[in-house]
Amino acid sequence: MKPRPRIRKFFKWGGLVLSVLVLTVWLGSAYVYWAFVDCQKFGATAMCGYLLISVYDGALPWAPSSFQYGPVVTKRMVWWGVFSVSSVGTVFNIPLWPFVALSLATTAAAWRMDIIARRKSRLGKCPACGYDRTGLAPAAPCPECNAKA
């Protein structure tokens, strides 16, 4: 298996930027409440706040039409998505923490794989299969998996 430093570098640094962005949105949604209300075009209301994203299929009388700043008081954190139908309309709440966990886990895996590959090359082992390359020419392919050095 040939190492792919460009792809690994993209996932390492791109994942880090994405993780910081998603974490900022998640933590910021506990302080800033944002809503988009446009029932004439889309017939829906989308809100981000309370550590989740809420989508309603109609206009809510209490929904703001712009940004609102200030601490958002919640009774408890929503751990799973909630789908409900009420007299106001259909409500779907999506918590933001799974997106944070997924981006952090994939970024951590990319960084870990890079650290392992770097450690193998520093110890004189094949980066693809881990075969001990001591005594071989630096440009010689690996005798075990035929990967380039």
Side-chain angles (χ1 to χ4, degrees), residues 16-80:
L16 183 65
V17 169
L18 180 69
S19 295
V20 168
L21 180 69
V22 171
L23 187 64
T24 303
V25 168
W26 182 53
L27 294 176
S29 70
Y31 186 73
V32 178
Y33 186 83
W34 173 81
F36 176 76
V37 181
D38 190 359
C39 285
Q40 292 178 355
K41 281 187 179 179
F42 301 108
T45 301
M47 291 183 274
C48 182
Y50 303 107
L51 302 175
L52 52 93
I53 296 173
S54 301
V55 180
Y56 299 86
D57 69 347
L60 299 174
W62 48 267
S65 59
S66 62
F67 289 102
Q68 282 189 349
Y69 299 96
V72 176
V73 179
T74 58
K75 294 180 182 173
R76 61 185 170 86
M77 186 172 165
V78 177
W79 289 101
W80 307 112

Side-chain angles (χ1 to χ4, degrees), residues 131-147:
Y131 182 78
D132 190 10
R133 296 183 44 88
T134 53
L136 294 175
C142 175
E144 189 72 23
C145 67
N146 206 21

